[in-house]
Amino acid sequence: MENASTRTARPLVSARTAAVWAVLRRELERQADRELTVLDVGGGTGGFAVPLAEAGHAVTVVDASPDALAALTRRAADAGVADRVRAVQGDGDALAGLVEPGSVDLILCHAVLEVVDDPAGVVAAMAGALRPGGAVSVLVAGRAAAILGRAINGHLRAAGAVAADPEGRAGVRDTLRRRYDADSATALLDAAGLTIEQTHGVRVLADLLPAAVVEEDPQALLDLELELSARPPFRDIASQLHLFARKP
């Protein structure tokens, strides 16, 4: 029987998640001799949490949506890992009161910092929750992609609004509070005392291509996404930026 020392997460990989999973797999392989304590902030229905639990790790998912947490619980039970997945209702801004300081080996914070009230506070709480040597995987909305996407689709005024706004918003109806570039995201993690080890673009091309092109050769798209994900300037126009950082 496989255990945490011999298994790594093997989810169904798509061009939309391949760069993130490549980084996470390397971290799991780096620590293949131990079971990790993982925290998934805003982890929803468990797209990352359940594969990590299947790999033998203990995962706590914090999410504000009771419906998402109910779906997570069902998904974990169906995968046979209900005993390794814990659901906690709460949002990122309340994270400091939900997790014991210095108790976590790996934190996932994907598509959270662009919607919370206080992103610096959330990052500080994550840094406090990490054990020394622990790591955080942060995924944020990319500002350049929002500008390009709107411009390509003919929404030039909206593109200009994102470019001009200090937070990268398209206006009061924008569903996101802020968007990031590599420098601003790095500064946010640096301020919390975290050391950036890797920065990748996620969905460099996937959101720019017609659906017919994506469906015609998904493997070619996946390979190209991985090839371009760490290479500026391609990295910097991705729909999302992925930063992997460590607590000294």
Side-chain angles (χ1 to χ4, degrees):
M1 179 180 295
E2 290 183 310
N3 54 38
S5 66
T6 60
R7 294 165 58 184
T8 56
R10 292 183 177 87
L12 293 173
V13 173
S14 73
R16 293 177 175 270
T17 61
V20 178
W21 274 115
V23 174
L24 292 178
R25 282 202 197 93
R26 285 193 290 270
E27 179 66 11
L28 298 183
E29 290 165 359
R30 177 179 174 272
Q31 306 204 55
D33 59 338
R34 56 191 293 255
E35 177 182 325
L36 300 181
T37 299
V38 182
L39 173 65
D40 191 350
V41 183
T45 61
F48 282 86
V50 170
L52 289 169
E54 289 179 307
H57 305 290
V59 187
T60 296
V61 176
V62 174
D63 199 282
S65 168
D67 291 339
L69 293 177
L72 162 71
T73 300
R74 292 192 297 270
R75 188 174 190 170
D78 290 343
V81 294
D83 59 327
R84 290 199 290 273
V85 175
R86 184 168 71 102
V88 175
Q89 188 173 356
D91 59 28
D93 286 305
L95 186 62
L98 299 173
V99 183
E100 289 292 325
S103 64
V104 182
D105 299 302
L106 175 64
I107 298 177
L108 278 60
C109 182
H110 296 169
V112 171
L113 298 180
E114 51 269 79
V115 298
V116 295
D117 293 333
D118 180 15
V122 174
V123 174
M126 291 193 297
L130 284 173
R131 295 187 175 104
V136 59
S137 167
V138 172
L139 194 63
V140 294
R143 181 173 182 148
I147 297 169
L148 288 173
R150 285 165 172 77
I152 288 170
N153 286 297
H155 305 301
L156 298 181
R157 291 186 182 276
V162 176
D165 188 84
E167 298 288 346
R169 298 191 75 203
V172 294
R173 295 184 179 180
D174 198 330
T175 57
L176 300 184
R177 295 187 176 191
R178 62 194 66 86
R179 293 178 175 84
Y180 294 87
D181 56 29
D183 288 342
S184 61
T186 295
L188 187 63
L189 299 187
D190 281 345
L194 299 169
T195 301
I196 307 293
E197 293 186 347
Q198 300 178 64
T199 303
H200 291 87
V202 175
R203 291 152 52 199
V204 175
L205 297 175
D207 292 349
L208 296 175
L209 298 174
V213 175
V214 173
E215 294 168 3
E216 181 180 354
D217 195 343
Q219 185 61 50
L221 175 59
L222 189 153
D223 292 342
L224 189 54
E225 285 278 347
L226 288 174
E227 175 67 25
L228 299 178
S229 64
R231 291 170 52 184
F234 308 105
R235 177 199 72 185
D236 300 316
I237 65 167
S239 294
Q240 294 175 298
L241 296 173
H242 181 235
L243 292 86
F244 194 77
R246 197 171 302 279
K247 182 175 181 177

